[in-house]
């Protein structure tokens, strides 16, 4: 599942994000969503979130169950 719709993201979900400094390379960072920072219902580049470890980036992939890991 991609991360362009705010309704599909909630705190506690495991996601892959792209950090600001990794936008050129597309390197993904994995973590658990703490806060949703984008207010609009969708965003073409991904919803901006803060992970539990404090990193901020745009969601590229949402893990929906244990089979996705």
């Amino acid at each position: 599942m991609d991360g362009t719709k705010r309704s599909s993201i909630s705190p506690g979900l495991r996601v892959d994000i792209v950090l600001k400094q990794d936008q050129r390379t597309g390197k993904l960072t994995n973590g658990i969503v703490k806060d949703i920072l984008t207010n609009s219902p969708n965003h073409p580049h991904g919803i901006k979130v803060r992970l539990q470890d404090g990193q901020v980036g745009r969601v590229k992939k949402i893990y929906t169950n244990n089979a996705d890991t």
Side-chain angles (χ1 to χ4, degrees):
M1 194 182 314
D2 70 350
T4 59
K5 292 188 177 75
R6 190 177 195 277
S7 61
S8 61
I9 300 170
S10 62
L13 280 180
R14 178 169 294 281
V15 295
D16 282 341
I17 64 168
V18 173
L19 303 172
K20 181 77 169 178
Q21 64 266 26
D22 295 334
Q23 284 179 345
R24 287 182 186 262
T25 63
K27 178 182 170 228
L28 297 176
T29 302
N30 190 280
I32 306 292
V33 175
K34 180 180 179 185
D35 301 310
I36 301 172
L37 304 177
T38 300
N39 289 323
S40 63
N42 51 48
H43 192 283
H45 300 298
I47 300 299
K48 191 178 281 189
V49 298
R50 179 179 295 114
L51 300 180
Q52 287 181 344
D53 63 4
Q55 297 184 92
V56 174
R58 294 197 181 274
V59 176
K60 295 299 175 186
K61 182 175 181 183
I62 301 168
Y63 293 93
T64 55
N65 58 37
N66 293 337
D68 287 343
T69 58

